[in-house]
Amino acid sequence: MIQAVADIEIRLLVEAVFLRYGHDFRDYAQASLKRRVLQAQQRMGAASISALQARVLHDPDAFAELLQYLTVPVSEMFRDPAYFLALRRHVVPVLRTYPSLKIWIAGCSTGEEPYSLAILLEEEGLLERTILYATDINHASLEKARQGIFPVDAMQAFTRNYQKAGGTRSFSDYYTAAYDRALFDKRLRDSITFADHSLATDAVFSETQFVSCRNVLIYFNRALQDRALGLFHESLSHRGFLGLGSKETLDFSAYADRFETVSRPDRLYRRLPT
């Protein structure tokens, strides 16, 4: 009975968030959503999920705090280095054939992946002709991403990933360290356009040659996964590339027959001709 009440409360909470703020979590995977809502309830000191809902409805700051739990803003630079190696091997040679490029990083969190891709493109001689769009629904994460500032004690792990990902320079060339922070180069920051965009409610905003959306679909139910994949398919130009997270796949989706597999271990796909 208690579990059933909690499930009802969560449904009411996400409906209230959608009506009040326009953020749609109604088609997020329920087990993951429930875990994060309960964590938010505990850490925000709410007596119940209903009490949390009341606070969020009347206090936008409380919603901003809740959003940190619902969107899981956790990442690292060159996460899954083999993915970036596969990009250098399979995707970059094709991207070189375009006079100009547009790349979409969906669910960019605090910016680790966009900066990783900007560095890769710089080393491959493509950054100057590329517009990088990095989108997320979390305003606080987007603001952190725009600043391009990361904890200096994370640089060691980022450097290891960078080296495994086929980096050709010294990783420290890309940032300036001072005290406990590392500021990434202005050239990298200026190459990325950060913007608010929801895969649950918004439409396609540009034609792109490559979409990277990693470790986002795992938090969606099947219907929302298909909606997001539909946006990616619509955004991609003829024979454009799609990259997913290591635990994500196009198999069994509504778009499984609209892409060919480029590298299954690295979750790289290519849009088939219509």
Side-chain angles (χ1 to χ4, degrees):
M1 178 65 72
I2 294 176
Q3 290 295 324
V5 170
D7 291 342
I8 293 171
E9 287 183 304
I10 290 171
R11 288 176 61 187
L12 293 172
L13 171 64
V14 297
E15 187 69 32
V17 164
F18 175 65
L19 294 172
R20 175 73 169 84
Y21 298 101
H23 287 272
D24 194 351
F25 294 95
R26 294 173 298 177
D27 284 324
Y28 276 52
Q30 288 303 299
S32 174
L33 180 65
K34 183 174 184 178
R35 184 170 60 252
R36 285 179 280 161
V37 168
L38 292 173
Q39 183 183 44
Q41 176 200 338
Q42 180 182 26
R43 296 192 179 179
M44 293 175 68
S48 65
I49 298 172
S50 294
L52 178 64
Q53 175 187 322
R55 187 190 305 177
V56 166
L57 275 175
H58 296 284
D59 183 359
D61 289 339
F63 169 67
E65 184 177 355
L66 174 65
L67 199 58
Q68 302 308 304
Y69 294 98
L70 298 185
T71 55
V72 196
V74 176
S75 188
E76 60 185 37
M77 294 192 71
F78 292 96
R79 181 178 182 178
D80 301 323
Y83 174 79
F84 292 91
L85 277 174
L87 293 184
R88 291 182 189 266
R89 178 179 302 172
H90 301 292
V91 178
V92 165
V94 179
L95 296 185
R96 282 202 182 99
T97 67
Y98 292 94
S100 62
L101 296 165
K102 291 182 180 179
I103 293 175
W104 178 15
I105 303 99
C108 70
S109 188
T110 47
E112 287 85 347
E113 178 149 342
Y115 286 106
S116 299
L117 281 172
I119 290 171
L120 184 152
L121 292 167
E122 168 69 11
E123 294 183 353
E124 298 292 341
L126 294 174
L127 187 60
E128 287 188 351
R129 57 173 129 153
T130 302
I131 297 175
L132 286 159
Y133 297 108
T135 63
D136 205 279
I137 63 170
N138 189 321
H139 295 282
S141 293
L142 285 170
E143 184 54 37
K144 288 181 180 178
R146 286 190 188 97
Q147 294 173 3
I149 299 173
F150 299 93
V152 74
D153 57 8
M155 293 303 108
Q156 187 174 4
F158 291 177
T159 299
R160 286 196 298 268
N161 286 350
Y162 166 76
Q163 292 168 343
K164 293 177 182 177
T168 60
R169 304 179 189 173
S170 171
F171 188 62
S172 60
D173 290 346
Y174 296 106
Y175 65 86
T176 302
Y179 301 102
D180 60 345
R181 303 190 303 173
L183 172 65
F184 276 78
D185 288 352
K186 185 176 185 299
R187 185 160 181 269
L188 297 176
R189 287 181 276 131
D190 289 346
S191 71
I192 307 168
T193 299
F194 291 99
D196 187 334
H197 182 275
S198 170
L199 295 173
T201 58
D202 292 333
V204 169
F205 57 88
S206 180
E207 181 180 74
T208 58
Q209 286 73 47
F210 174 44
V211 175
S212 187
C213 181
R214 302 200 301 139
N215 307 302
V216 175
L217 299 185
I218 54 174
Y219 298 110
F220 295 172
N221 67 14
R222 179 58 60 81
L224 187 50
Q225 287 177 0
D226 283 343
R227 185 186 196 280
L229 291 171
L231 292 179
F232 303 153
H233 184 268
E234 184 180 350
S235 173
L236 285 170
S237 62
H238 175 74
R239 302 290 285 149
F241 291 91
L242 171 65
L244 301 179
S246 60
K247 296 181 180 179
E248 298 165 334
T249 180
L250 290 180
D251 295 347
F252 313 113
S253 76
Y255 288 84
D257 61 351
R258 304 197 190 183
F259 289 85
E260 65 178 350
T261 301
V262 175
S263 175
R264 183 169 292 279
D266 304 299
R267 301 301 193 266
L268 277 177
Y269 306 90
R270 196 171 185 186
R271 189 185 193 273
L272 288 170
T274 54

